[in-house]
Amino acid sequence: MAVNQSQSQSLQQNQAKKIPLFPFVSIICFVSIFLLLSSIRNTTSIPSHSHHPSIHFPKTNGLSNPGASPESCDYSDGNWIRDPVGTSPRYDHTCKEIFKGWNCISGNKSNGRDLINWRWKPAHCELPPFDPTAFLHAYRDTAIGFVGDSLNRNMFVSLFCSLKRVSNDVKKWRPAGADRGFTFLRYNLTIAYHRTNLLARYGRWSANANGGALESLGYKEGYRVDVDIPEGTWENALTFHDILIFNTGHWWWAPSKFDPVKSPMLFFERAQPVIPPVSPEAGLDMVKYIENRTRPGTVKFFRTQSPRHFEGGDWDQGGACPRLKPLLPEQVETLFSLNNNGTNVEARLVNQHLFKALERSDFHILDITHLSEFRADAHPSTAGGKKHVDCMHWCLPGITDIWNDLLIKQLNNIKVLF
């Protein structure tokens, strides 16, 4: 959910001393890695799928409107409706790919079984659950890659479990760099998850005894982030996948790892440190975007930020997510409004800059933020006896099933049959 320009300028002025630097810096990574997409091609010997001759994804001339369809429906505008008679599960909670910490039914979360009874109703159109059998037929000979942090794995697992329920002829097979991967043999459809926290390559950095630009400024250690080099887990994904879903964002709010004083992010470009070290304003000045030139026909999505629902403090400050029903609209604004500068402000803040960074690109935006903001009830919380309250990931089955409904709806809308 974006904020208009005048609001953005006002908020940046009023909150300059309150908001962490990391979310703004992340834009550098977004853009620099996307620049990479224009130059990385045919760098691997990974076998490709034989593409289905009746399916063609046209190249877009500009950023697709969030949630847009041929009828110009905004799928992000709507509300959650509970089915009073209950809803049949899309897949069983015994699906083995469900990470234990996300299995809210096996973990005995009190509302774990009720989560599937809620559906998202867009205000001006319909978003029905996708048909997994029809999807397998329509997208045979296709490779789909989820590239990002564990929230993208959340979504990947949801899709896998939905498809496996109707097609058991599955083989584990991971494209180069992928953390998880499966091929549905009857349809030659592969889905894979490539784990990457920042998209860019990063690692520990320590001062050189012989000195250098950063050393002269007093830096002794930190994390080197090469904004023009992709992390190895996904560098070959562009030459293999027909459909790519990217995300990043949450790790930029990880002061336990990227402490701004003890272990700051130190950005490098063309193997040289960015001097002076990047501030939010300088990071925004570096935002440039060019049309990428990946393999013709590749469809690229960038998923918007998945909201957290910590109340009473952050994850390490006693915060929790005890709610058992979706939030009301006024509660959503209280929790997420940029004016409040609260614990969960990161989602809207990142999106505000993400939309700007992706302008005039050929990425499609998968806007899941606002519909997810209502679902404070759908996180694992303490299910399964967790030591830390999880108000960031999502229960499975759960809300990421709806994300895949939206993904597939948008895929079907941009697909041209001939």
Side-chain angles (χ1 to χ4, degrees), residues 242-267:
D242 305 286
I243 300 167
L244 288 159
I245 303 96
F246 290 90
N247 99 288
T248 191
H250 292 285
W251 277 79
W252 304 95
W253 276 265
S256 59
K257 184 175 184 67
F258 303 117
D259 186 285
V261 176
K262 297 179 181 179
S263 55
M265 292 181 180
L266 301 171
F267 291 87

Side-chain angles (χ1 to χ4, degrees), residues 208-259:
N208 191 310
N210 296 323
L214 291 171
E215 290 84 349
S216 68
L217 295 174
Y219 288 95
K220 297 181 179 179
E221 60 181 353
Y223 280 88
R224 171 174 172 161
V225 182
D226 287 276
V227 297
D228 53 351
I229 301 177
E231 192 164 6
T233 56
W234 70 274
E235 63 181 343
N236 291 324
L238 297 169
T239 65
F240 179 79
H241 293 295
D242 305 286
I243 300 167
L244 288 159
I245 303 96
F246 290 90
N247 99 288
T248 191
H250 292 285
W251 277 79
W252 304 95
W253 276 265
S256 59
K257 184 175 184 67
F258 303 117
D259 186 285

Side-chain angles (χ1 to χ4, degrees), residues 114-402:
D114 187 55
L115 294 175
I116 65 171
N117 294 325
W118 292 90
R119 67 182 180 90
W120 178 249
K121 175 63 176 69
H124 304 292
C125 53
E126 295 295 328
L127 183 63
F130 84 93
D131 181 334
T133 301
F135 177 80
L136 286 165
H137 280 284
Y139 291 89
R140 63 171 66 246
D141 300 322
T142 301
I144 303 173
F146 292 82
V147 180
D149 58 32
S150 55
L151 273 301
N152 250 15
R153 180 178 177 181
N154 225 172
M155 188 177 178
F156 159 80
V157 172
S158 165
L159 180 60
F160 169 77
C161 291
S162 296
L163 298 179
K164 190 174 185 298
R165 186 177 185 184
V166 299
S167 181
N168 285 317
D169 193 11
V170 182
K171 179 181 179 180
K172 285 186 178 181
W173 187 80
R174 295 183 297 168
D179 185 71
R180 310 289 293 173
F182 299 91
T183 295
F184 290 84
L185 298 176
R186 180 179 175 185
Y187 304 93
N188 191 31
L189 183 145
T190 295
I191 64 172
Y193 164 63
H194 299 257
R195 178 177 176 82
T196 173
N197 296 330
L198 305 178
L199 292 182
R201 187 182 72 179
Y202 74 96
R204 294 291 307 189
W205 176 89
S206 297
N208 191 310
N210 296 323
L214 291 171
E215 290 84 349
S216 68
L217 295 174
Y219 288 95
K220 297 181 179 179
E221 60 181 353
Y223 280 88
R224 171 174 172 161
V225 182
D226 287 276
V227 297
D228 53 351
I229 301 177
E231 192 164 6
T233 56
W234 70 274
E235 63 181 343
N236 291 324
L238 297 169
T239 65
F240 179 79
H241 293 295
D242 305 286
I243 300 167
L244 288 159
I245 303 96
F246 290 90
N247 99 288
T248 191
H250 292 285
W251 277 79
W252 304 95
W253 276 265
S256 59
K257 184 175 184 67
F258 303 117
D259 186 285
V261 176
K262 297 179 181 179
S263 55
M265 292 181 180
L266 301 171
F267 291 87
F268 282 67
E269 187 172 22
R270 297 181 180 179
Q272 298 299 316
V274 176
I275 300 296
V278 174
S279 66
E281 294 78 13
L284 292 176
D285 289 342
M286 293 179 66
V287 173
K288 296 180 181 178
Y289 198 94
I290 62 171
E291 186 177 9
N292 66 61
R293 301 178 180 85
T294 51
R295 183 159 50 82
T298 302
V299 177
K300 296 166 290 296
F301 286 89
F302 208 104
R303 179 179 59 73
T304 61
Q305 192 79 338
S306 175
R308 309 181 310 155
H309 288 88
F310 286 98
E311 297 184 68
D314 213 328
W315 69 274
D316 57 348
Q317 300 170 340
C321 44
R323 297 179 187 265
L324 299 178
K325 294 182 179 180
L327 299 175
L328 299 173
E330 56 268 26
Q331 293 173 319
V332 167
E333 289 308 304
T334 298
L335 203 59
F336 293 101
S337 173
L338 289 172
N339 290 312
N340 296 335
N341 192 30
T343 300
N344 305 290
V345 72
E346 68 172 68
R348 293 189 181 186
L349 187 63
V350 166
N351 286 350
Q352 177 179 317
H353 296 282
L354 174 62
F355 290 141
K356 180 179 178 181
L358 295 176
E359 284 179 350
R360 295 180 298 279
S361 77
D362 61 356
F363 275 79
H364 298 273
I365 292 291
L366 186 66
D367 188 0
I368 55 82
T369 303
H370 185 55
L371 67 87
S372 304
E373 287 177 339
F374 290 88
R375 299 308 303 272
D377 59 316
H379 297 285
S381 185
T382 57
K386 293 185 181 66
K387 294 181 180 179
H388 298 290
V389 179
D390 187 352
C391 302
M392 181 172 70
H393 298 99
W394 302 97
C395 295
L396 289 176
I399 191 173
T400 51
D401 302 336
I402 309 299

